[in-house]
């Protein structure tokens, strides 16, 4: 139980285009979803926190107009990288948190990640 | 100052050794603490939560020191399969954001 999926797993796009990444909790309802970015050999950097039905809370230094987050339902959050540039190339991981029976309340369940390459 | 700081290692230890990692955090109001494990090219997975009273799960022991604002992870009788990156996670000011340390790389050598 508590599976999180991400789609696509890998995407290559041209500079200036927009890319949408989906994060789904498959067998539980995620009250909160988190979006992270991970650079090679570095840890996860929290980008934003989103609660279903409300605006996302962005971390300092993360442009909300560039990284659009929509958390339309308890099982789906999307991250749209608008007008992508090569420096946006990275590994994006989402996680979801919800009331999963038998698991710690604050445990986050991670998706497998999306590798974005902007040419 | 970073929210969470860890020694990145790498730690290279022989099988059967005991190894300990520490992680310091800056927000004294933090309430939730975790250790996650991340294998190469995989997503992080929860290893264990860290409670005020400390907790143990088999060969793994996690402790919290609020006065000094650090958490620790002790691995006894290391196995080859323990090789991974260990990430400490601490919740932030609002309680809703979670911050990861840079991770500590462990390699257990036969």
């Amino acid at each position: 139980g508590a599976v999180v999926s991400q789609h696509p797993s890998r995407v290559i796009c041209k500079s200036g285009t927009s890319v949408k990444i989906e994060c789904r909790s498959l067998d539980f309802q995620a009250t909160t979803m988190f979006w992270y970015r991970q650079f090679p050999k570095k840890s996860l950097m929290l980008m934003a926190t989103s609660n279903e039905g409300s605006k996302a809370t962005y971390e300092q230094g993360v442009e909300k107009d560039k990284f659009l987050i929509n958390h339309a339902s308890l099982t789906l959050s999307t991250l749209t990288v608008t007008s992508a540039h090569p420096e946006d190339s990275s590994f994006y991981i989402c996680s979801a948190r919800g009331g999963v029976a038998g698991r710690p309340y604050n445990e986050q369940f991670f998706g497998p990640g999306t590798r974005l390459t902007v040419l | 100052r970073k929210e969470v700081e860890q020694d990145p290692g790498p730690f290279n230890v022989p099988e059967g050794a005991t190894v300990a990692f520490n992680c310091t955090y800056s927000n004294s109001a933090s309430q939730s603490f975790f250790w996650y494990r991340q294998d190469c090219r995989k997503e992080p997975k929860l290893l264990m939560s860290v409670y005020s009273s400390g907790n143990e799960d088999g060969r793994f022991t996690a402790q919290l020191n609020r006065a000094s604002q650090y958490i620790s992870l002790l691995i006894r009788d290391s196995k080859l399969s323990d090789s991974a990156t260990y990430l400490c996670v601490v919740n932030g000011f609002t309680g809703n954001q979670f911050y990861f340390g840079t991770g500590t790389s462990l390699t257990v050598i036969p």
Side-chain angles (χ1 to χ4, degrees):
Chain A
V3 177
V4 176
S5 70
Q6 266 184 256
H7 178 78
S9 58
R10 184 182 295 270
V11 58
I12 301 172
C13 70
K14 291 183 178 180
S15 186
T17 60
S18 295
V19 175
K20 180 185 282 189
I21 303 170
E22 292 186 349
C23 176
R24 293 181 185 273
S25 56
L26 298 184
D27 50 3
F28 68 101
Q29 293 187 326
T31 51
T32 307
M33 286 186 169
F34 305 85
W35 285 96
Y36 295 86
R37 184 172 177 175
Q38 187 172 32
F39 294 97
K41 299 187 184 296
K42 299 285 187 182
S43 187
L44 286 80
M45 183 191 77
L46 179 64
M47 298 175 66
T49 303
S50 75
N51 293 296
E52 183 264 338
S54 62
K55 290 184 179 180
T57 301
Y58 289 81
E59 293 300 299
Q60 193 172 14
V62 179
E63 298 176 58
K64 63 180 180 180
D65 294 329
K66 180 164 184 62
F67 298 99
L68 300 178
I69 292 172
N70 184 286
H71 192 162
S73 76
L74 285 172
T75 59
L76 173 65
S77 176
T78 60
L79 168 69
T80 301
V81 183
T82 62
S83 187
H85 287 98
E87 56 264 31
D88 297 326
S89 298
S90 191
F91 192 58
Y92 293 87
I93 303 181
C94 72
S95 70
R97 183 182 67 178
V100 179
R103 304 301 302 175
Y105 166 71
N106 275 331
E107 181 176 359
Q108 295 181 51
F109 300 93
F110 287 84
T114 297
R115 171 74 59 193
L116 170 64
T117 303
V118 184
L119 302 177
Chain B
R1 184 181 173 186
K2 291 182 181 178
E3 294 278 348
V4 181
E5 300 211 46
Q6 276 184 264
D7 178 353
F11 285 69
N12 300 314
V13 303
E15 268 187 291
T18 296
V19 61
F21 310 134
N22 280 343
C23 170
T24 59
Y25 60 94
S26 61
N27 184 357
S28 60
S30 296
Q31 296 294 324
S32 300
F33 310 89
F34 306 88
W35 283 101
Y36 276 74
R37 169 188 171 139
Q38 186 173 25
D39 292 289
C40 188
R41 299 182 182 278
K42 299 281 189 180
E43 70 274 18
K45 291 188 178 178
L46 179 67
L47 178 64
M48 58 198 310
S49 303
V50 187
Y51 304 120
S52 296
S53 56
N55 51 311
E56 187 173 316
D57 182 4
R59 299 181 293 108
F60 299 84
T61 301
Q63 291 193 313
L64 167 64
N65 185 316
R66 285 193 182 276
S68 301
Q69 293 182 206
Y70 75 84
I71 62 175
S72 64
L73 176 68
L74 180 77
I75 305 175
R76 290 180 297 277
D77 188 23
S78 299
K79 310 289 184 191
L80 297 177
S81 57
D82 294 334
S83 298
T85 296
Y86 292 83
L87 303 159
C88 70
V89 183
V90 179
N91 78 324
F93 179 72
T94 65
N96 204 29
Q97 287 102 324
F98 290 82
Y99 299 99
F100 282 71
T102 52
T104 299
S105 174
L106 170 67
T107 301
V108 180
I109 304 165

